[in-house]
Amino acid sequence: MHLRLRSSIVLTVVIGLLIPVSISSVLTLGQRERALILRSESNHARAADILSLGMQEPLWNINPEGGLPLLESLLGDTRVVAITVRDGKQREFLSKYYPERRKGRQFKLDKPVLHEGKQIGDISLTMDSGQLDGEVANDRWGVVWTVLGQLLFSVVLIVTLLQRRVLIPIKRLMHESGRLAERDLSTPFVWQQKDELGSLGGSLEHTRQALQALFSEIESKNRMLEADIQHRALTERELQRHREHLEELVRERTAELQLAKERADVANQAKSTFLASMTHELRTPLNAVLGYAQILKRDKGLSERQAVGLNTIQQSGEHLLMLITDLLDLAKIEAGKFELVPEPVNLAAFLAGIVNIIRVKAEQKHLRFVFQGDAQLPHTVLIDEKRLRQILLNLLGNAVKFTDAGEVRLLASGGSEAGDRVRLRFDVEDTGVGMNPGQLGHIFQPFEQVGDTQRKFGGTGLGLSISRQLVRLMDSDIGVRSELGAGSAFFFEIHVGQSAMEVAPAGERRMVVAYQGARKRVLVVDDIAANRDMLKELLDTLGFDVELAENGLEGVQRAAANAPDVVLMDIVMPVMDGLEATRRIRALPGLARVAIIAISASVSKEEEEDTQGDCMKAKV
């Protein structure tokens, strides 16, 4: 609600006057009312005392007529509504009651009648508060009318003073302000009043003079700006011509960059295709080499020379397989297609497996291997077990390789964080050859190796590079400190989640030599003869009846003819690939639920997803 100035001032003054007057009036009325109540209570008590004393003689002599004069005298007070006198046995002795006198609240007072210290009866005196209430109401109305009269007089006086001393000068100031707003600055503003509004009028005149000078200056600057604008317009047209030329250059450059990006994408795709193809071509004969090495090692009649030769073949094949795997991992990381897969892992069992592997390698070089696990290490954590094992084995393998005497240490520690997160820290320390500051700058580069020539030939130069990339995918990094001739230390921290799932340690791996039950038929479908023959010889030694097929179409025909119990199906084959052959075998009568295991030297993620639901997967 918007109030005019005069109304606002009047209302403020009225409220300011009304509050103290009201408070004083309420206090005065309260005191007056309490005084009237005390007077009424005093009169009531005094009348009851008079009645009690006056009824001693009539009650003692049992003479009701003797008490009537006193009764009539007290009933002459119109406030008395009822009087009752009772003898010692509570029988009514005298009684008068005027119901027409009941106009307000009723107050009753009882007193005993005593004679020579003994109670011979009692009296009851009831009085009405109507007269008291009337006096209180009259006092209140008197105060109300007094306050209203004072307020009315105050309002008239205030309005008169406001009109002459405030409102009229303000209207004049508003009029002059309006002239200034309309830019009428030629007429001076003269103000004779010597008060706050007079000071405001003087300020208004100073404002007029300042505005007049300002507008004069603005007009002169406007003329200068007009000339400058004309010059800028010419410059803008020139800039527009250059801008159009620049946009044309940007479009040409953007087209060139887009073409370069497309070429880079094609190159990356070609590289991925090439790596996938080369991986398959390399792993295919490598599978046969490793498979036959494992089969031949089962022969208990091997001479020592033959056993050593087979171990050399297997180790060389595994080294070549590791090189292929490292190259693929590096290519996936650089292409941004590498993803971590965290799963619940029993941390103690995980570390025990790594310790057992490295301890054997350390003992082969007559090194002491030390593992120290912190007591605060969590039981089960969410990690990518394969990649963390790859990182630790790379670091520990390098430590063993570059240490000729002394020891290799693995330190594992942990600590709780907010929520269910934990911090894991791993330190790999050795007493090996160490590195100088110049070597530390490029040890994490792909294919970079430090140390003497003999040690360089012992690895691919990819381990540290891949390990750092994997740790960075875990939102961390590998730190290193080293001193030439005194050893090196590699360390990193990762932050992982805890899991309430109980993960049992992996059981001991045992070599399968045979199976129980009826003899099973196995159909092996692979376009590589060496792979077929290797699988046939391996399965023959385990007691299976093995049948071979060179492609998917032949595999479907042989499955229809002989109904195998298990099918080992290659994915990539001529004539008909493994996926189509799997679907056709599933459609044959009685083979809808036959076990089909996909085998491949390398399987892309897309091919792996295509095999979901059609067959189980086994990378060999």
Side-chain angles (χ1 to χ4, degrees), residues 33 46 57 75 88 103 178 239 267 285 372 379 415-416 432 455 464 470 472 590 609:
E33 185 174 353
R46 186 168 56 254
E57 185 66 27
L75 289 172
K103 298 178 181 178
L239 287 174
Q372 293 180 3
H379 182 268
S416 300
R455 288 191 175 90
L464 284 179
L470 292 174
R472 285 178 173 176
E609 292 174 352

PDB file of all heavy atoms in Angstrom, residues 33 46 57 75 88 103 178 239 267 285 372 379 415-416 432 455 464 470 472 590 609:
ATOM      1  N   GLU A  33      -8.640   0.323  38.390  1.00  0.00           N
ATOM      2  CA  GLU A  33      -9.483  -0.867  38.543  1.00  0.00           C
ATOM      3  C   GLU A  33      -9.074  -1.661  39.777  1.00  0.00           C
ATOM      4  O   GLU A  33      -9.936  -2.150  40.522  1.00  0.00           O
ATOM      5  CB  GLU A  33      -9.366  -1.733  37.289  1.00  0.00           C
ATOM      6  CG  GLU A  33     -10.296  -2.934  37.300  1.00  0.00           C
ATOM      7  CD  GLU A  33     -10.275  -3.683  35.987  1.00  0.00           C
ATOM      8  OE1 GLU A  33      -9.644  -3.191  35.025  1.00  0.00           O
ATOM      9  OE2 GLU A  33     -10.895  -4.763  35.923  1.00  0.00           O
ATOM     10  N   ARG A  46     -15.935  -5.651  55.506  1.00  0.00           N
ATOM     11  CA  ARG A  46     -16.423  -4.863  56.644  1.00  0.00           C
ATOM     12  C   ARG A  46     -17.901  -5.159  56.910  1.00  0.00           C
ATOM     13  O   ARG A  46     -18.319  -5.316  58.057  1.00  0.00           O
ATOM     14  CB  ARG A  46     -16.202  -3.369  56.364  1.00  0.00           C
ATOM     15  CG  ARG A  46     -16.550  -2.490  57.567  1.00  0.00           C
ATOM     16  CD  ARG A  46     -16.075  -1.053  57.405  1.00  0.00           C
ATOM     17  NE  ARG A  46     -16.579  -0.441  56.198  1.00  0.00           N
ATOM     18  CZ  ARG A  46     -15.856  -0.196  55.108  1.00  0.00           C
ATOM     19  NH1 ARG A  46     -14.585  -0.543  55.080  1.00  0.00           N
ATOM     20  NH2 ARG A  46     -16.392   0.364  54.050  1.00  0.00           N
ATOM     21  N   GLU A  57     -25.954 -11.570  69.519  1.00  0.00           N
ATOM     22  CA  GLU A  57     -27.044 -11.511  70.519  1.00  0.00           C
ATOM     23  C   GLU A  57     -28.269 -12.239  70.026  1.00  0.00           C
ATOM     24  O   GLU A  57     -28.839 -13.064  70.756  1.00  0.00           O
ATOM     25  CB  GLU A  57     -27.346 -10.047  70.852  1.00  0.00           C
ATOM     26  CG  GLU A  57     -28.385  -9.859  71.980  1.00  0.00           C
ATOM     27  CD  GLU A  57     -27.859 -10.373  73.317  1.00  0.00           C
ATOM     28  OE1 GLU A  57     -26.601 -10.386  73.499  1.00  0.00           O
ATOM     29  OE2 GLU A  57     -28.648 -10.816  74.154  1.00  0.00           O
ATOM     30  N   LEU A  75     -29.033  -4.460  53.927  1.00  0.00           N
ATOM     31  CA  LEU A  75     -29.681  -4.618  52.617  1.00  0.00           C
ATOM     32  C   LEU A  75     -29.992  -3.278  51.973  1.00  0.00           C
ATOM     33  O   LEU A  75     -30.386  -3.212  50.798  1.00  0.00           O
ATOM     34  CB  LEU A  75     -30.958  -5.437  52.767  1.00  0.00           C
ATOM     35  CG  LEU A  75     -30.731  -6.933  53.070  1.00  0.00           C
ATOM     36  CD1 LEU A  75     -32.051  -7.614  53.382  1.00  0.00           C
ATOM     37  CD2 LEU A  75     -30.063  -7.610  51.882  1.00  0.00           C
ATOM     38  N   GLY A  88     -26.032 -22.786  64.979  1.00  0.00           N
ATOM     39  CA  GLY A  88     -24.951 -23.743  65.137  1.00  0.00           C
ATOM     40  C   GLY A  88     -25.231 -25.068  64.484  1.00  0.00           C
ATOM     41  O   GLY A  88     -24.309 -25.821  64.207  1.00  0.00           O
ATOM     42  N   LYS A 103     -26.533  -8.042  38.561  1.00  0.00           N
ATOM     43  CA  LYS A 103     -26.202  -7.349  37.312  1.00  0.00           C
ATOM     44  C   LYS A 103     -24.779  -7.689  36.811  1.00  0.00           C
ATOM     45  O   LYS A 103     -24.426  -7.342  35.702  1.00  0.00           O
ATOM     46  CB  LYS A 103     -26.295  -5.839  37.521  1.00  0.00           C
ATOM     47  CG  LYS A 103     -27.705  -5.377  37.890  1.00  0.00           C
ATOM     48  CD  LYS A 103     -27.723  -3.890  38.132  1.00  0.00           C
ATOM     49  CE  LYS A 103     -29.142  -3.423  38.520  1.00  0.00           C
ATOM     50  NZ  LYS A 103     -29.187  -1.975  38.803  1.00  0.00           N
ATOM     51  N   GLY A 178      11.427  18.999 -12.122  1.00  0.00           N
ATOM     52  CA  GLY A 178      10.823  18.697 -13.414  1.00  0.00           C
ATOM     53  C   GLY A 178      11.413  19.547 -14.530  1.00  0.00           C
ATOM     54  O   GLY A 178      11.637  19.067 -15.646  1.00  0.00           O
ATOM     55  N   LEU A 239      38.009  -3.006 -42.207  1.00  0.00           N
ATOM     56  CA  LEU A 239      38.121  -4.234 -41.406  1.00  0.00           C
ATOM     57  C   LEU A 239      37.179  -5.318 -41.900  1.00  0.00           C
ATOM     58  O   LEU A 239      37.503  -6.511 -41.854  1.00  0.00           O
ATOM     59  CB  LEU A 239      37.826  -3.919 -39.931  1.00  0.00           C
ATOM     60  CG  LEU A 239      38.908  -3.141 -39.171  1.00  0.00           C
ATOM     61  CD1 LEU A 239      38.410  -2.789 -37.788  1.00  0.00           C
ATOM     62  CD2 LEU A 239      40.190  -3.962 -39.074  1.00  0.00           C
ATOM     63  N   ALA A 267      43.931 -43.623 -41.164  1.00  0.00           N
ATOM     64  CA  ALA A 267      45.234 -44.221 -40.828  1.00  0.00           C
ATOM     65  C   ALA A 267      45.145 -45.021 -39.532  1.00  0.00           C
ATOM     66  O   ALA A 267      45.708 -46.115 -39.427  1.00  0.00           O
ATOM     67  CB  ALA A 267      46.290 -43.129 -40.721  1.00  0.00           C
ATOM     68  N   PRO A 285      50.462 -69.321 -35.792  1.00  0.00           N
ATOM     69  CA  PRO A 285      51.539 -70.334 -35.678  1.00  0.00           C
ATOM     70  C   PRO A 285      52.091 -70.432 -34.265  1.00  0.00           C
ATOM     71  O   PRO A 285      52.555 -71.502 -33.851  1.00  0.00           O
ATOM     72  CB  PRO A 285      52.607 -69.810 -36.654  1.00  0.00           C
ATOM     73  CG  PRO A 285      52.346 -68.349 -36.768  1.00  0.00           C
ATOM     74  CD  PRO A 285      50.859 -68.173 -36.634  1.00  0.00           C
ATOM     75  N   GLN A 372      56.865 -56.803   2.143  1.00  0.00           N
ATOM     76  CA  GLN A 372      56.340 -56.219   3.394  1.00  0.00           C
ATOM     77  C   GLN A 372      54.941 -55.681   3.120  1.00  0.00           C
ATOM     78  O   GLN A 372      54.773 -54.753   2.331  1.00  0.00           O
ATOM     79  CB  GLN A 372      57.252 -55.086   3.880  1.00  0.00           C
ATOM     80  CG  GLN A 372      58.623 -55.560   4.321  1.00  0.00           C
ATOM     81  CD  GLN A 372      59.500 -54.417   4.794  1.00  0.00           C
ATOM     82  OE1 GLN A 372      59.069 -53.273   4.836  1.00  0.00           O
ATOM     83  NE2 GLN A 372      60.726 -54.734   5.169  1.00  0.00           N
ATOM     84  N   HIS A 379      40.850 -56.156   2.955  1.00  0.00           N
ATOM     85  CA  HIS A 379      40.722 -57.567   2.600  1.00  0.00           C
ATOM     86  C   HIS A 379      40.329 -57.731   1.137  1.00  0.00           C
ATOM     87  O   HIS A 379      40.989 -58.444   0.369  1.00  0.00           O
ATOM     88  CB  HIS A 379      39.684 -58.237   3.505  1.00  0.00           C
ATOM     89  CG  HIS A 379      39.513 -59.706   3.243  1.00  0.00           C
ATOM     90  ND1 HIS A 379      38.568 -60.196   2.372  1.00  0.00           N
ATOM     91  CD2 HIS A 379      40.179 -60.793   3.719  1.00  0.00           C
ATOM     92  CE1 HIS A 379      38.653 -61.515   2.331  1.00  0.00           C
ATOM     93  NE2 HIS A 379      39.631 -61.900   3.145  1.00  0.00           N
ATOM     94  N   GLY A 415      45.482 -47.288   3.396  1.00  0.00           N
ATOM     95  CA  GLY A 415      44.889 -46.353   4.351  1.00  0.00           C
ATOM     96  C   GLY A 415      43.462 -46.046   3.951  1.00  0.00           C
ATOM     97  O   GLY A 415      43.118 -45.996   2.764  1.00  0.00           O
ATOM     98  N   SER A 416      42.597 -45.841   4.952  1.00  0.00           N
ATOM     99  CA  SER A 416      41.190 -45.564   4.693  1.00  0.00           C
ATOM    100  C   SER A 416      41.003 -44.106   4.271  1.00  0.00           C
ATOM    101  O   SER A 416      41.752 -43.218   4.668  1.00  0.00           O
ATOM    102  CB  SER A 416      40.343 -45.858   5.934  1.00  0.00           C
ATOM    103  OG  SER A 416      40.462 -47.209   6.306  1.00  0.00           O
ATOM    104  N   GLY A 432      70.099 -52.606  -7.495  1.00  0.00           N
ATOM    105  CA  GLY A 432      70.726 -52.891  -8.778  1.00  0.00           C
ATOM    106  C   GLY A 432      71.618 -51.790  -9.286  1.00  0.00           C
ATOM    107  O   GLY A 432      72.164 -50.984  -8.517  1.00  0.00           O
ATOM    108  N   ARG A 455      71.570 -56.484 -21.079  1.00  0.00           N
ATOM    109  CA  ARG A 455      70.256 -56.317 -20.449  1.00  0.00           C
ATOM    110  C   ARG A 455      69.229 -55.773 -21.436  1.00  0.00           C
ATOM    111  O   ARG A 455      68.053 -56.052 -21.340  1.00  0.00           O
ATOM    112  CB  ARG A 455      70.368 -55.389 -19.237  1.00  0.00           C
ATOM    113  CG  ARG A 455      71.077 -56.037 -18.045  1.00  0.00           C
ATOM    114  CD  ARG A 455      70.929 -55.197 -16.802  1.00  0.00           C
ATOM    115  NE  ARG A 455      71.492 -55.840 -15.639  1.00  0.00           N
ATOM    116  CZ  ARG A 455      72.737 -55.714 -15.214  1.00  0.00           C
ATOM    117  NH1 ARG A 455      73.575 -54.954 -15.912  1.00  0.00           N
ATOM    118  NH2 ARG A 455      73.155 -56.337 -14.131  1.00  0.00           N
ATOM    119  N   LEU A 464      57.748 -50.476 -19.013  1.00  0.00           N
ATOM    120  CA  LEU A 464      57.558 -49.261 -18.216  1.00  0.00           C
ATOM    121  C   LEU A 464      56.574 -48.304 -18.863  1.00  0.00           C
ATOM    122  O   LEU A 464      55.786 -47.648 -18.175  1.00  0.00           O
ATOM    123  CB  LEU A 464      58.910 -48.565 -18.001  1.00  0.00           C
ATOM    124  CG  LEU A 464      59.834 -49.194 -16.958  1.00  0.00           C
ATOM    125  CD1 LEU A 464      61.125 -48.408 -16.868  1.00  0.00           C
ATOM    126  CD2 LEU A 464      59.152 -49.240 -15.597  1.00  0.00           C
ATOM    127  N   LEU A 470      48.952 -47.437 -17.831  1.00  0.00           N
ATOM    128  CA  LEU A 470      47.915 -48.109 -17.050  1.00  0.00           C
ATOM    129  C   LEU A 470      47.685 -47.401 -15.721  1.00  0.00           C
ATOM    130  O   LEU A 470      46.541 -47.221 -15.282  1.00  0.00           O
ATOM    131  CB  LEU A 470      48.295 -49.570 -16.807  1.00  0.00           C
ATOM    132  CG  LEU A 470      48.293 -50.475 -18.041  1.00  0.00           C
ATOM    133  CD1 LEU A 470      48.819 -51.863 -17.683  1.00  0.00           C
ATOM    134  CD2 LEU A 470      46.888 -50.586 -18.637  1.00  0.00           C
ATOM    135  N   ARG A 472      48.192 -44.271 -15.097  1.00  0.00           N
ATOM    136  CA  ARG A 472      47.502 -43.018 -15.389  1.00  0.00           C
ATOM    137  C   ARG A 472      46.021 -43.237 -15.656  1.00  0.00           C
ATOM    138  O   ARG A 472      45.198 -42.384 -15.326  1.00  0.00           O
ATOM    139  CB  ARG A 472      48.160 -42.326 -16.587  1.00  0.00           C
ATOM    140  CG  ARG A 472      49.502 -41.682 -16.225  1.00  0.00           C
ATOM    141  CD  ARG A 472      50.169 -41.039 -17.420  1.00  0.00           C
ATOM    142  NE  ARG A 472      51.358 -40.294 -17.010  1.00  0.00           N
ATOM    143  CZ  ARG A 472      52.184 -39.682 -17.856  1.00  0.00           C
ATOM    144  NH1 ARG A 472      51.956 -39.743 -19.176  1.00  0.00           N
ATOM    145  NH2 ARG A 472      53.233 -39.016 -17.392  1.00  0.00           N
ATOM    146  N   GLY A 590      18.461 -81.794 -32.603  1.00  0.00           N
ATOM    147  CA  GLY A 590      19.177 -82.393 -31.493  1.00  0.00           C
ATOM    148  C   GLY A 590      20.437 -81.658 -31.075  1.00  0.00           C
ATOM    149  O   GLY A 590      21.096 -82.073 -30.122  1.00  0.00           O
ATOM    150  N   GLU A 609      31.658 -59.634 -28.765  1.00  0.00           N
ATOM    151  CA  GLU A 609      30.254 -59.364 -28.435  1.00  0.00           C
ATOM    152  C   GLU A 609      29.324 -60.185 -29.315  1.00  0.00           C
ATOM    153  O   GLU A 609      28.261 -60.618 -28.874  1.00  0.00           O
ATOM    154  CB  GLU A 609      29.964 -57.869 -28.593  1.00  0.00           C
ATOM    155  CG  GLU A 609      30.674 -57.006 -27.557  1.00  0.00           C
ATOM    156  CD  GLU A 609      30.485 -55.524 -27.826  1.00  0.00           C
ATOM    157  OE1 GLU A 609      29.938 -55.194 -28.903  1.00  0.00           O
ATOM    158  OE2 GLU A 609      30.904 -54.713 -26.965  1.00  0.00           O
TER     159      GLU A 609
END
